[in-house]
Amino acid sequence: VEDHQQLLKWMFEDHGWDCDPGAIDNQSGPATRGATQRFKERYNQEFSQSIPVDGGFDRAAWEAFHDVYERELRLSMGWTQADLDGVRLQLQLIDAGAVGC
C-alpha cells in the first residue's frame, strides 16, 4: 500500500492530479481509496481510456501508472513512441535471469 500511496502522491505533487492519498502510512484507508478513484478518473480522461473507476489499486491501476511512466519517459527524452521502441529493440540483457529497474 505504501508503494501505491507514493505513486499517487507523486502524481498529485508533480502533475497536479487530484489524487493526494494524505499521509504515507501503508494503510488502505478512505483517503487512499479516494485518491485511487480520482487517479483512475483522471487517467481515463487524459489517456482516453475506460478502466473501472473504483478505489482498488488493482492491475488496471498498475497498468495506468505504466502508461504514465511511458509518457514521462518519452517527454523527458523528447522522444516519440517509435523512438522509445527503437531503443528498446537495441537493449541486450546481461543474461537470461537479469532484471532491470
Side-chain angles (χ1 to χ4, degrees):
V1 174
E2 182 178 356
D3 292 341
H4 309 161
Q5 292 171 326
Q6 292 283 0
L7 290 168
L8 293 163
K9 184 73 82 172
W10 168 64
M11 290 304 295
F12 169 70
E13 291 178 348
D14 289 9
H15 299 279
W17 288 25
D18 180 24
C19 59
D20 185 3
I24 307 298
D25 60 5
N26 203 32
Q27 301 297 313
S28 184
T32 298
R33 288 191 302 274
T36 302
Q37 181 174 341
R38 292 187 304 277
F39 167 78
K40 289 178 175 183
E41 289 169 351
R42 180 71 181 264
Y43 168 79
N44 282 341
Q45 293 169 0
E46 291 230 0
F47 286 81
S48 300
Q49 296 295 319
S50 58
I51 64 172
V53 175
D54 56 36
F57 210 98
D58 52 11
R59 182 180 179 102
W62 282 114
E63 290 174 355
F65 269 105
H66 177 267
D67 290 346
V68 171
Y69 282 150
E70 287 281 296
R71 182 174 72 179
E72 285 298 302
L73 182 57
R74 289 190 312 270
L75 290 173
S76 69
M77 299 300 291
W79 290 350
T80 65
Q81 185 63 50
D83 295 330
L84 183 55
D85 293 343
V87 168
R88 284 187 172 138
L89 288 173
Q90 297 174 27
L91 295 176
Q92 295 181 10
L93 293 177
I94 297 169
D95 62 52
V99 177
C101 298

